[in-house]
Amino acid sequence: MTHTSPRLVLIAVSVVVTTSLICAVDAHADDNPSVPPGTEATATAPVEVDPNDPDLKLPEGATLAEAKVLDIKQVVEDQSGDERREDTNADVKFALQAEVLFPKDSAKLNGEAKARIAAIAEEIKTQQATKIRVFGFTDNLGSSAHGDVLSKQRANAVEDILKGELNNPNITYEVRGYGEQYPIASNDSESSRKKNRRVEVSFPRSDN
C-alpha cells in the first residue's frame, strides 16, 4: 500500500485553490461597458411576434392618432417654499405664498411683495407674453364666500403691480379669485394650508 506524504497533500490543495483564484480574477467584469448591463443587443428578438396577428392590425377604416409631444414640467421651489416656478413646453407659472405678499386676512401688498412681482414682470418681458393670468387662492378656513372675495382682491392687487411694471397696453389680463378651490396641498395642517394660500401668475412661453 502506498502512503502519501501529508506535505504533498497540502501542496496539492494549495495549487487547486490558487488556480481557482486566478480564474476568478481573469473573469472580472469590464470596468467600462459600452452599454448598461442587461441591455446588450441579441441576435434574435426576446419574444416572437406574428406579423399576421389580427390584434396587431388597425380595424378597417381606422387611423393612427397624430403624433404628440408630451409636455414636460420642471418645478423649482425656493428653500423657504415661499415661491415656486413651474415651466412646461407651453407656459411659465409663478406661485407666491400669500404670507410673502400680504398681511394676514388682507389684500394690501407689502414692500417685499412688490419686489417679487417686479421680478416676475421681467420674466414676462423676456417671454414677450401678451396674455397673463393672475389667480388667487385661499385655504379652507373661514367661510367660502369670504375666501372667494379675499382671493379675488389679492389677485387684483398683484395685477395692478404687474400693469405698472409692464406698462404695455397690448397685454391682456385674466384675473380670478378661486377661494379654497384647487388646493395644491391638504388643509389638514397649517403648513399645508400655507401652501394653498397663494397667488399664481402664469403666461405662455415664447417660441423664440
Side-chain angles (χ1 to χ4, degrees):
M1 186 175 202
T2 303
H3 295 280
T4 304
S5 169
R7 184 178 179 184
L8 292 177
V9 173
L10 290 175
I11 292 174
V13 172
S14 299
V15 171
V16 172
V17 173
T18 303
T19 304
S20 299
L21 291 174
I22 292 173
C23 293
V25 172
D26 289 342
H28 75 288
D30 188 355
D31 291 333
N32 297 293
S34 58
V35 295
T39 62
E40 298 85 351
T42 58
T44 58
V47 178
E48 186 176 351
V49 177
D50 181 3
N52 298 316
D53 189 333
D55 292 334
L56 298 178
K57 297 181 180 180
L58 288 173
E60 186 176 353
T63 59
L64 291 172
E66 293 183 6
K68 181 180 179 181
V69 177
L70 295 178
D71 202 8
I72 300 175
K73 178 186 290 186
Q74 179 181 8
V75 180
V76 178
E77 188 173 276
D78 65 7
Q79 190 172 8
S80 64
D82 294 338
E83 183 175 338
R84 186 179 71 257
R85 172 176 175 154
E86 297 181 6
D87 287 87
T88 68
N89 298 337
D91 298 291
V92 179
K93 180 194 293 184
F94 288 90
L96 298 173
Q97 289 188 0
E99 278 78 355
V100 178
L101 304 176
F102 310 96
K104 183 178 180 180
D105 203 30
S106 170
K108 184 178 180 180
L109 288 164
N110 57 41
E112 182 184 354
K114 294 178 181 179
R116 288 182 179 246
I117 296 170
I120 295 175
E122 289 302 314
E123 180 63 21
I124 293 173
K125 293 177 183 178
T126 299
Q127 299 296 337
Q128 302 177 4
T130 56
K131 295 181 180 179
I132 302 173
R133 297 177 293 273
V134 186
F135 297 159
F137 305 87
T138 63
D139 57 27
N140 65 348
L141 298 181
S143 70
S144 176
H146 176 69
D148 291 343
V149 172
L150 179 62
S151 61
K152 180 62 160 56
Q153 290 174 340
R154 287 177 168 177
N156 285 335
V158 172
E159 177 200 21
D160 288 341
I161 300 298
L162 286 174
K163 283 183 175 179
E165 293 289 335
L166 296 170
N167 192 26
N168 186 344
N170 296 320
I171 293 179
T172 58
Y173 296 83
E174 181 183 355
V175 184
R176 296 185 181 182
Y178 286 104
E180 63 187 56
Q181 299 181 67
Y182 309 112
I184 59 175
S186 71
N187 282 297
D188 297 336
S189 65
E190 176 56 24
S191 60
S192 296
R193 289 190 292 270
K194 184 178 179 182
K195 290 181 178 293
N196 292 330
R197 299 191 295 265
R198 68 197 190 279
V199 176
E200 296 181 352
V201 180
S202 59
F203 43 89
R205 176 180 292 283
S206 172
D207 293 332
N208 297 335

